Amino acid sequence: MSPSPSSRRPQRRAASARPVSYDESLVDAELQAYLGNENSRRIRRLRRLSADERQRLTETEALIALSLGFPIDELLPVERPLLPDPVAAVPNDYIVVRNHILASWRADPRVPLPRARVLETVTASYDHLVAAAHGFLDREGHINFGVSAAFPASPPPDAPQRPAASVLVVGAGLAGLAAARQLLRFGLRVLVLEGRSRPGGRVFTSSLGEGKAAVELGGSVITGIHANPLGVLARQLGIPLHKVRNSCPLYHPDGRTVATKLDRSMELVFNTLLEHATRLRESLKEAAEGISLGEGIERLRRLYSVVKSEEERQVLDWHLANLEFSNAGCLSELSLAHWDQDDQYEMGGDHCFLAGGNSRLVQALCDGVPVLYEKTVKRIEHGEDGVSITAEGDQVFKADMALCTVPLGVLKSASIVFEPELPERKLGAIQRLGFGLLNKVAMVFPYVFWDEEIDTFGCLNKERSKRGEFFLFYSYHTVSGGAVLIALVAGEAALEFEKVDPAVALHKVLGILKGIYGPKGVTVPDPIQSSCTRWGSDPLCLGSYSHIRVGSSGADYDILAESVNDRLFFAGEATNSAYPATMHGALLSGLREASRILRASEGSVNSDQKKYALQKSLRPRNGVLEDLFMEPDLEFGRFSFVFSYITPDEQQTAGLVRITLQKHLLLLAKNQGVKGYQKVQVPAAEKVDQEALHLYAIVSQEQASQLRTACDDDKGRIAFLCKDLGVKLMGYDSTCDIGSPLISGILSARKARKRLQRPKNLKIRL
């Protein structure tokens, strides 16, 4: 999505004394104080806690759960029906255990939190509660999700092999990729269809300038680092975060600095008007449903006779433009009654930039996920027999279920035909919700000429209708590897900006910068390269992010999230009523839908109902296995291995082994009843020539190492592989069907390894 809002009620405070580089692994002092860094130390401490200490611990864990969106002392609405009846009836102890698991996972999300480790930290009488809570949290994506080597986009090597449903995911944005990755871990068959030639959707980090600086043209700010799943991904990848500093000086249209007294007084007026707007809607009750936030604020401004001078009006307009930026919509469209319905869920903590750009998270989410690019979906047919999706060019894909993650703007445009048509209830929500616009002018300069101690500064505008035009500048020099400055365009100005020639827009921005810094004796150089966004004209999004328009409410987000007959599912920021218009809201919606799809797939009576479980469109192309094994990662005897690792030290990374056998030896082994050969399906094996056969299996890199040292001869190794490691050998067809996500992951990993081997010019300043 286009840049995520800084907050629902943007406030600028004095610069913080906290360090510029924010280490999310610190989490917070309380969390580290009682959990520590080592599991053994944590376990020993939990066992020797006094009653008072244990009570304080329980209270702290409840607060952590609250920050993650869980009620302190009750069940989530979705939680109750998924729990055993005795647990749901008396949930107090269960809630304590649930909160403990959440806190334990967030203490170190770089590795999975298995149930066995949780059992070590609680009394044995709670084992059944641990099983219930851990099962719920794991399946719903609240724990054990991510992008590190410990969370590959494939089932664990020891997971039971069974027929699984197939899922087509429309859109490779944060929601689609998060859902696809989770579904692959659950063991389902997944294929992602993406209309663009790149992943990420409205999260787009472009490389500009001679040094290829990372420039955020789409979603940019991680809004509130506490409990934010994007912070979890950053920790898993070891990517530094930069705290967006609070100092934001304002400048008059002629370049003069806005006086501190005027700035603070108008900020107070702005916040007071918002508070009175809240009281106004409470007094109007149902009548407030038809009034816009802009109309309400203007009525109050006139009622209290505030903002009389021209300078005061311009400063207040700047704050109103900032509010329009936060909501990607004009105040004249925002609902007075419900515009801030998600405030109660707002994530706390600092707002941060990600070093190197948010596309680093996107690329990590892509690892191991099969994605077909430039597949613009035109038609989605859904029914009891499954789904059929037609892409541009009349290419048809079929599966058991589909997840639609396209932006709300695309749904509003009706460019995708649904057959049968979506329910009236959902169509109404699509029509009522707002989908606004935010644009940018991104510039890479030869050097930083502005104040390096600030990350933002604002500019006033003389015209009210243009108050959002280049009203705010973001400096990314701390994280981008270059002197990057981005000017934002919000509100009515964002709509007009779509029609402006990029050269004209750049000239205007440079005029503003020269007006600010010229009088200070600073020369503003010409940018090395620049880029202007046109998110409203982009047919694959048609806007930036959602808001609650007059006549709508937060309930419409929930309606948009509803599935259709457990065949067609929906995700994206506009389906998340708690975190709309944010990058983390999109990602969380993907995890939510992955869980719903898993439950729906398990609700089928039997695997025969999964008629598209092995659709050819989901299988790798012919010859892909031969190509992979032309360059094995490991080879000994008759064994060749290929793995999906990025770096060789990822021992748990899944891979494929190919065993080359002489046909007469294989038949002899079967006839003699050699253990380990009896499960081999000879007719399904790949025939290389008259004398040789290829068999395959899914193994981890660690298992490959064990196999290499287990025996001196290949016959003993095969027996060890099948008997001791419990690995099932497969033929070519079964490998392509069952291992299709893994094959895609291996191909993606090889591309990533090649990219890592190339010389890098990107330098990140922190």
Side-chain angles (χ1 to χ4, degrees):
M1 63 206 65
S2 292
S4 299
S6 294
S7 70
R8 279 301 184 214
R9 279 177 129 177
Q11 293 187 11
R12 297 174 296 107
R13 301 176 294 277
S16 171
R18 297 176 64 176
V20 171
S21 290
Y22 186 93
D23 183 2
E24 209 273 339
S25 64
L26 295 177
V27 189
D28 59 64
E30 274 193 297
L31 186 60
Q32 287 296 319
Y34 79 87
L35 283 179
N37 293 320
E38 298 179 7
N39 290 324
S40 58
R41 184 173 68 185
R42 172 169 57 87
I43 293 168
R44 288 197 301 270
R45 181 169 183 181
L46 283 169
R47 285 173 176 169
R48 65 170 181 260
L49 290 178
S50 67
D52 289 342
E53 289 173 328
R54 193 173 298 278
Q55 179 61 32
R56 287 197 297 271
L57 171 63
T58 300
E59 293 172 355
T60 302
E61 289 176 338
L63 291 175
I64 293 171
L66 181 65
S67 73
L68 294 170
F70 284 80
I72 287 181
D73 54 0
E74 61 184 63
L75 299 173
L76 288 173
V78 71
E79 198 170 7
R80 186 177 296 275
L82 300 179
L83 296 177
D85 291 339
V87 174
V90 187
N92 291 348
D93 289 341
Y94 165 85
I95 291 171
V96 172
V97 171
R98 178 201 70 188
N99 296 347
H100 171 64
I101 295 173
L102 286 167
S104 299
W105 154 248
R106 283 304 177 110
D108 186 7
R110 293 168 297 181
V111 294
L113 177 65
R115 186 192 306 176
R117 191 182 305 166
V118 180
L119 290 173
E120 293 175 339
T121 67
V122 299
T123 180
S125 61
Y126 285 170
D127 284 2
H128 67 295
L129 299 179
V130 171
H134 188 276
F136 168 77
L137 296 173
D138 187 73
R139 288 167 61 94
E140 298 298 310
H142 298 295
I143 64 172
N144 294 340
F145 66 86
V147 292
S148 68
F151 303 99
S154 59
D158 58 349
Q161 295 180 359
R162 57 179 181 270
S166 57
V167 183
L168 288 166
V169 178
V170 182
L174 289 179
L177 292 174
R181 192 173 187 84
Q182 191 81 333
L183 288 169
L184 289 168
R185 290 190 63 239
F186 290 155
L188 277 67
R189 254 52 85 73
V190 179
L191 180 66
V192 182
L193 304 176
E194 168 55 47
R196 304 179 190 275
S197 59
R198 61 166 179 83
R202 287 168 282 167
V203 177
F204 179 33
T205 307
S206 181
S207 296
L208 300 181
E210 296 174 355
K212 296 303 179 184
V215 179
E216 299 289 13
L217 298 181
S220 56
V221 183
I222 298 179
T223 51
I225 197 61
H226 290 169
N228 197 311
L230 298 178
V232 170
L233 303 190
R235 287 179 66 186
Q236 292 174 338
L237 296 171
I239 301 176
L241 298 174
H242 170 82
K243 172 188 177 296
V244 179
R245 290 165 287 193
N246 294 315
S247 178
C248 181
L250 296 183
Y251 296 96
H252 288 284
D254 58 8
R256 293 178 295 115
T257 303
V258 174
T260 301
K261 182 178 180 181
L262 174 61
D263 187 2
R264 291 179 177 175
S265 65
M266 286 300 100
E267 184 174 26
L268 178 61
V269 168
F270 169 73
N271 289 322
T272 302
L273 286 173
L274 286 183
E275 291 172 2
H276 283 290
T278 300
R279 296 173 187 169
L280 176 62
R281 71 183 178 199
E282 290 172 352
S283 62
L284 291 175
K285 298 181 180 179
E286 292 184 4
E289 298 286 344
I291 300 175
S292 72
L293 177 62
E295 182 183 355
I297 289 176
E298 183 59 22
R299 285 184 183 181
L300 292 167
R301 186 189 69 79
R302 293 175 179 175
L303 176 65
Y304 293 106
S305 299
V306 293
V307 190
K308 297 179 179 179
S309 72
E310 181 64 14
E311 285 192 343
E312 289 178 338
R313 196 269 303 165
Q314 290 178 8
V315 176
L316 178 62
D317 274 348
W318 185 92
H319 284 284
L320 297 178
N322 200 23
L323 191 59
E324 291 177 322
F325 155 49
S326 299
N327 293 273
C330 300
L331 296 187
S332 58
E333 291 188 352
L334 295 181
S335 166
L336 172 65
H338 304 290
W339 72 277
D340 58 348
Q341 58 88 35
D342 58 310
D343 268 8
Q344 58 182 315
Y345 306 106
E346 185 175 344
M347 292 187 174
D350 298 317
H351 294 182
C352 297
F353 296 145
L354 189 88
N358 294 323
S359 285
R360 297 180 71 181
L361 301 183
V362 172
Q363 293 300 328
L365 285 167
C366 277
D367 183 32
V369 176
V371 183
L372 295 182
Y373 295 103
E374 298 181 337
K375 301 294 182 185
T376 302
V377 170
K378 294 298 182 182
R379 184 180 183 88
I380 299 178
E381 299 175 47
H382 54 99
E384 293 182 0
D385 292 333
V387 296
S388 176
I389 294 181
T390 304
E392 207 166 54
D394 294 330
Q395 189 173 11
V396 179
F397 300 85
K398 294 185 178 183
D400 294 306
M401 290 172 280
L403 172 61
C404 181
T405 71
V406 300
L408 176 61
V410 175
L411 294 176
K412 282 179 169 290
S413 72
S415 60
I416 297 178
V417 176
F418 292 90
E419 180 61 39
E421 192 174 47
L422 295 176
E424 287 294 331
R425 171 181 169 87
K426 188 178 291 288
L427 291 174
I430 293 171
Q431 187 274 328
R432 288 188 296 271
L433 283 169
F435 197 65
L437 188 59
L438 178 71
N439 276 313
K440 297 181 175 184
V441 176
M443 300 158 288
V444 181
F445 291 94
Y447 54 86
V448 177
F449 60 85
W450 57 92
D451 185 354
E452 293 193 41
E453 299 304 313
I454 61 174
D455 295 313
T456 57
F457 59 90
C459 302
L460 311 185
N461 202 301
K462 292 181 179 179
E463 300 180 48
R464 299 201 69 178
S465 62
K466 294 184 178 180
R467 64 190 178 198
E469 184 181 67
F470 317 128
F471 82 102
L472 183 64
F473 286 77
Y474 268 113
S475 168
Y476 286 89
H477 69 282
T478 54
V479 293
S480 65
V484 175
L485 202 59
I486 293 180
L488 304 186
V489 189
E492 292 181 35
L495 300 171
E496 293 299 317
F497 182 81
E498 299 268 329
K499 310 170 189 175
V500 178
D501 183 274
V504 174
L506 178 62
H507 180 74
K508 275 189 173 184
V509 173
L510 292 177
I512 292 172
L513 293 173
K514 290 175 181 177
I516 294 172
Y517 293 101
K520 299 178 181 180
V522 176
T523 300
V524 177
D526 289 332
I528 299 171
Q529 192 174 356
S530 64
S531 179
C532 297
T533 65
R534 296 285 188 275
W535 290 106
S537 305
D538 186 332
L540 296 179
C541 59
L542 298 172
S544 299
Y545 42 87
S546 64
H547 58 256
I548 297 183
R549 196 164 56 181
V550 175
S552 182
S553 70
D556 285 330
Y557 287 128
D558 296 327
I559 294 173
L560 193 54
E562 294 174 352
S563 64
V564 180
N565 297 326
D566 276 349
R567 290 292 184 182
L568 179 59
F569 298 80
F570 291 83
E573 55 86 12
T575 71
N576 194 328
S577 60
Y579 308 108
T582 62
M583 293 187 291
H584 59 266
L587 185 139
L588 287 171
S589 75
L591 296 176
R592 177 199 70 212
E593 292 309 303
S595 176
R596 290 179 177 177
I597 291 171
L598 176 63
R599 290 200 299 272
S601 71
E602 292 175 339
S604 299
V605 177
N606 55 62
S607 60
D608 290 338
Q609 292 184 344
K610 303 177 179 66
K611 63 177 293 186
Y612 298 112
L614 302 179
Q615 271 295 314
K616 194 162 186 175
S617 61
L618 301 183
R619 291 181 55 182
R621 60 176 174 80
N622 290 333
V624 68
L625 288 181
E626 293 91 330
D627 294 345
L628 277 178
F629 282 97
M630 286 182 67
E631 299 180 36
D633 298 316
L634 176 65
E635 198 170 14
F636 53 84
R638 299 178 183 274
F639 296 80
S640 302
F641 299 83
V642 290
F643 298 104
S644 59
Y645 61 70
I646 303 298
T647 58
D649 57 348
E650 301 170 12
Q651 289 296 306
Q652 295 303 318
T653 300
L656 289 174
V657 57
R658 184 177 75 176
I659 309 170
T660 303
L661 298 173
Q662 298 300 314
K663 187 175 181 181
H664 72 278
L665 292 178
L666 179 63
L667 294 176
L668 178 63
K670 282 175 63 68
N671 293 334
Q672 293 178 347
V674 176
K675 293 181 178 179
Y677 284 81
Q678 53 192 351
K679 294 184 179 180
V680 174
Q681 301 295 320
V682 178
E686 174 193 350
K687 294 185 179 182
V688 180
D689 52 41
Q690 293 295 324
E691 300 297 329
L693 291 162
H694 282 164
L695 296 170
Y696 302 85
I698 298 175
V699 296
S700 67
Q701 191 177 355
E702 183 179 22
Q703 288 174 323
S705 301
Q706 294 173 357
L707 184 63
R708 186 173 194 173
T709 58
C711 304
D712 295 329
D713 63 284
D714 290 337
K715 185 180 296 186
R717 288 189 179 112
I718 294 176
F720 178 81
L721 180 69
C722 296
K723 180 180 178 182
D724 296 284
L725 296 182
V727 173
K728 181 179 179 180
L729 299 179
M730 299 177 288
Y732 186 91
D733 289 342
S734 295
T735 303
C736 287
D737 289 332
I738 295 175
S740 60
L742 176 58
I743 293 170
S744 299
I746 295 171
L747 292 169
S748 298
R750 286 198 168 178
K751 292 179 182 178
R753 294 204 295 265
K754 289 179 181 178
R755 287 196 298 268
L756 290 174
Q757 291 169 0
R758 298 172 186 165
K760 295 183 178 180
N761 298 321
L762 181 64
K763 296 181 180 179
I764 299 173
R765 296 175 58 190
L766 297 175

